[in-house]
């Protein structure tokens, strides 16, 4: 006789409980945590840099850069003047709730309104693990193709906001933006979708407003953008 142990289900269940604890702590500390996900090369760090520049005068911002190795992104973000730490995952392709908690402890949330986790770059593993973030956002860039909601449905299902980045190169790629939006909304009708160009700034104000509103609702601030 032997017992079958469903380790994957147990891992996810344990992580979900830990994620809820992280959110409870964030609520008490009045810190909003955004989990930002995408493929490598989508423009995630560029979007993040512009976002910090736009909001840092009104919100106290801290950033956790997660990568398998290197500190390239942390070096880039540190030039914005906000508090930033680099998280190395030791070869893992995602962060879970406990790893996020450790990162938040190192970052220090006592003076942070908006904490942003730039997750490891891929559309598979990060979508499977609840980090304890208040909201999930993702970036899909035009060069990646409009079929990504079909190939990676879970990522689109777990995200509250989708930025379709690099719209400035739409004329040069076979990317049907209407089809992409339709596919994403079919998976997640409540998702906020914002076409943007981090390079030119087009569409970014709508993204800033969304993120500012979400943060203020969580931490209790009432100022308008």
């Amino acid at each position: 006789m032997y017992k079958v142990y469903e380790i994957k289900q147990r891992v996810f269940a344990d992580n979900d409980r830990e994620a809820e604890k992280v959110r409870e702590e964030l609520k008490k500390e009045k810190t909003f945590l955004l989990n930002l996900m995408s493929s490598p090369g989508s423009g995630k760090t560029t979007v993040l840099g512009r976002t910090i520049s736009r909001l840092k005068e009104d919100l106290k911002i801290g950033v956790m850069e997660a990568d398998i190795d290197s500190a390239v992104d942390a070096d880039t973000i540190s030039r914005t003047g906000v508090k930033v730490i680099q998280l190395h995952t030791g070869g893992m392709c995602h962060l879970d709730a406990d790893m996020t908690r450790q990162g938040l402890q190192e970052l220090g949330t006592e003076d942070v309104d908006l904490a942003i986790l730039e997750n490891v770059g891929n559309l598979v593993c990060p979508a499977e693990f609840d980090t304890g973030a208040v909201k999930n956002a993702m970036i899909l860039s035009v060069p990646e193709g409009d079929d990504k909601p079909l190939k990676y449905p879970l990522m689109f299902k777990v995200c509250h906001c989708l930025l379709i980045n690099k719209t400035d190169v739409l004329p040069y790629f076979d990317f049907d933006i209407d089809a992409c939006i339709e596919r994403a909304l079919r998976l997640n009708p409540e998702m906020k979708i914002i076409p943007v160009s981090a390079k030119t700034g087009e569409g970014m104000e709508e993204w800033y407003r969304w993120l500012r509103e979400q943060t203020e609702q969580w931490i209790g601030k009432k100022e308008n953008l």
Side-chain angles (χ1 to χ4, degrees):
M1 295 292 295
Y2 58 87
K3 181 179 179 181
V4 176
Y5 188 68
E6 297 290 348
I7 189 168
K8 186 174 182 180
Q9 291 182 13
R10 177 62 181 269
V11 166
F12 286 155
D14 289 348
N15 183 74
D16 289 346
R17 284 191 290 271
E18 185 69 17
E20 285 302 323
K21 292 179 183 177
V22 171
R23 273 187 286 274
E24 290 172 6
E25 293 167 3
L26 289 168
K27 189 65 174 178
K28 291 177 182 177
E29 295 165 5
K30 295 187 179 297
T31 299
F32 178 92
L33 174 60
L34 177 76
N35 179 24
L36 185 60
M37 299 177 283
S38 77
S39 296
S42 68
K44 190 159 71 258
T45 305
T46 303
V47 168
L48 183 53
R50 275 187 169 267
T51 301
I52 292 168
S53 296
R54 181 66 176 83
L55 298 180
K56 69 179 181 179
E57 298 302 319
D58 302 306
L59 295 170
K60 292 174 286 186
I61 301 173
V63 177
M64 298 181 290
E65 291 287 349
D67 279 299
I68 292 174
D69 206 344
S70 91
V72 173
D73 291 341
D75 287 340
T76 301
I77 295 302
S78 67
R79 299 184 197 117
T80 66
V82 301
K83 183 161 56 171
V84 58
I85 63 170
Q86 180 72 54
L87 305 177
H88 285 163
T89 65
M92 298 182 68
C93 59
H94 67 277
L95 262 71
D96 60 21
D98 184 62
M99 295 161 73
T100 301
R101 180 199 293 278
Q102 293 179 54
L104 288 168
Q105 290 172 346
E106 290 299 317
L107 180 69
T109 56
E110 62 279 354
D111 61 345
V112 172
D113 299 319
L114 169 61
I116 302 174
L117 169 62
E118 184 175 349
N119 214 316
V120 180
N122 77 78
L123 296 180
V124 183
C125 304
E128 295 184 325
F129 287 85
D130 188 344
T131 61
V134 183
K135 297 290 181 180
N136 296 320
M138 68 168 293
I139 302 172
L140 173 66
S141 66
V142 167
E144 294 175 71
D146 55 41
D147 59 351
K148 292 302 174 288
L150 302 176
K151 292 184 175 181
Y152 306 102
L154 181 60
M155 175 61 75
F156 291 83
K157 288 179 180 179
V158 302
C159 283
H160 303 89
C161 185
L162 164 64
L163 300 183
I164 301 178
N165 190 29
K166 304 188 182 181
T167 55
D168 52 297
V169 299
L170 272 170
Y172 310 105
F173 287 86
D174 185 17
F175 186 98
D176 188 333
I177 192 167
D178 292 332
C180 183
I181 291 172
E182 180 184 356
R183 290 163 180 162
L185 290 177
R186 196 181 306 144
L187 292 166
N188 186 349
E190 303 301 318
M191 176 187 282
K192 175 77 171 177
I193 301 179
I194 310 173
V196 302
S197 169
K199 181 178 181 180
T200 68
E202 182 181 1
M204 292 293 287
E205 285 296 329
E206 185 176 357
W207 158 247
Y208 303 147
R209 281 194 297 273
W210 181 86
L211 183 54
R212 174 74 176 269
E213 289 168 0
Q214 298 299 317
T215 301
E216 290 179 352
Q217 287 174 16
W218 183 259
I219 68 176
K221 288 191 175 183
K222 300 298 181 183
E223 298 92 345
N224 294 319
L225 190 64

